[in-house]
Amino acid sequence: MANENYSPIRQIVLLFIICHLSFTCVVAQTLTFVELNCENMFDTRHDSLKQDFEFLPEGARYWSHTKYWQKLNRIGQEILSCSVDLPDLVALCEVENDTVLHDLTRRSLLRNAGYEYLMTESPDLRGIDVALLYQPSSFLPLCYDYIEVPLLKGMRPTRDILYVKGIAWAIDTLHIFIVHAPSRYGGERRTRPFRMQVVKTLERAVESVGEANVLVAGDFNDYADSPTLVWLEEQALVNVSKNLKGRNGVGGTYRYRGEWRSIDHVLLSPSMTAHIDTAYINDARFLLEEDVQNGNYKPRRTFNGYHYLRGGFSDHLPLVVRFKRKKQQIKWK
């Protein structure tokens, strides 16, 4: 009796498969990147040498375990809402420490999402840092570093720039820089040199990687037409977040005095722009609330001043950029 594994029918099927595999197989994939300022994602414990007292249970904001865990789950919900599939890379601003990132990725709504993370340990007086969440299935970090911003006279210690070099599958090597520049507290003109110091430090770091795939993202505390962002564009970075809209019509990531504008940005090297599939602001309805004073809507934030708004998310909306991955041509011989 003939071996069933080598029956004529099976041989014909096998021959058919081999013939089809001899042709070129084209596979198109995507990479989804999100940037989000979390609005004070603090835990409830004091970090030594940091001015985080207002986010303690006995502090000015009466920051409790219940509020903390609700905050983590809200941020997790916000990230999950950015894309039909899980975002591959998520740049976060205003996260306090490793404990917060561990709880976010291991114990919140994101606990089954599989995210790993890298973050800075900055000299910022309040103790806030920036971080990168990544999916190991789509991004392999090769190295990372903290880039310290040299202080000018009168400048408070600020957040380091997080640099991560890695392999984004089918996009090749990717250099990521995450920024959280000093705020405008004290006046825009007086604090402008501090933000310019950040972008010039960033510029030198970007130049050091040469002609490569570069992605810069974060909260710059400046608008697209501000001197800092104009400077970066003059250094051959493309601000792909300029003039972005939300799918529900929102015109910025941040609302100030009734006006939508963006202080969050994503900038790319020219080599990366050809891979853009789509870019938008995630203005899902549940992230918004009515702006009674000015009309329209505003981000559904966690605090209004020191007043806790139950069920809030963040005072910023997320930026989403989805890239087309390079098409892989696999030839079977």
Side-chain angles (χ1 to χ4, degrees), residues 70-82:
Q70 184 179 58
K71 176 72 172 183
L72 291 179
N73 285 323
R74 290 301 198 196
I75 293 299
Q77 185 181 1
E78 189 162 4
I79 291 170
L80 292 174
S81 72
C82 287

Side-chain angles (χ1 to χ4, degrees), residues 53-123:
F53 302 104
E54 64 186 272
F55 282 94
L56 300 178
E58 65 277 13
R61 297 180 186 269
Y62 301 101
W63 193 238
S64 65
H65 292 288
T66 299
K67 293 175 182 176
Y68 170 62
W69 284 105
Q70 184 179 58
K71 176 72 172 183
L72 291 179
N73 285 323
R74 290 301 198 196
I75 293 299
Q77 185 181 1
E78 189 162 4
I79 291 170
L80 292 174
S81 72
C82 287
S83 175
V84 175
D85 300 319
L86 280 173
D88 300 283
L89 298 167
V90 184
L92 297 177
C93 298
E94 290 197 17
V95 294
E96 184 185 17
N97 52 34
D98 184 84
T99 297
V100 170
L101 267 295
H102 175 83
D103 288 345
L104 178 68
T105 57
R106 299 293 185 270
R107 304 177 67 190
S108 77
L109 285 177
L110 293 180
R111 60 186 176 274
N112 294 321
Y115 283 112
E116 300 292 342
Y117 63 87
L118 298 166
M119 69 177 300
T120 57
E121 294 181 7
S122 302

Side-chain angles (χ1 to χ4, degrees), residues 109-141:
L109 285 177
L110 293 180
R111 60 186 176 274
N112 294 321
Y115 283 112
E116 300 292 342
Y117 63 87
L118 298 166
M119 69 177 300
T120 57
E121 294 181 7
S122 302
D124 178 83
L125 297 180
R126 297 175 63 222
I128 57 175
D129 286 285
V130 298
L132 177 71
L133 308 187
Y134 65 91
Q135 285 289 334
S137 60
S138 55
F139 183 77
L140 174 65

Side-chain angles (χ1 to χ4, degrees), residues 9-68:
I9 295 178
R10 287 176 180 262
Q11 291 182 45
I12 292 172
V13 172
L14 180 60
L15 180 62
F16 178 81
I17 293 173
I18 292 174
C19 288
H20 275 265
L21 288 178
S22 64
F23 291 96
T24 298
C25 178
V26 179
V27 180
Q29 297 176 320
T30 61
L31 180 80
T32 301
F33 176 85
V34 170
E35 184 278 339
L36 172 64
N37 182 314
C38 300
E39 188 198 354
N40 296 317
M41 197 156 69
F42 282 79
D43 64 17
T44 60
R45 293 176 293 183
H46 173 54
D47 276 2
S48 178
L49 305 179
K50 297 297 183 181
Q51 297 176 11
D52 60 354
F53 302 104
E54 64 186 272
F55 282 94
L56 300 178
E58 65 277 13
R61 297 180 186 269
Y62 301 101
W63 193 238
S64 65
H65 292 288
T66 299
K67 293 175 182 176
Y68 170 62

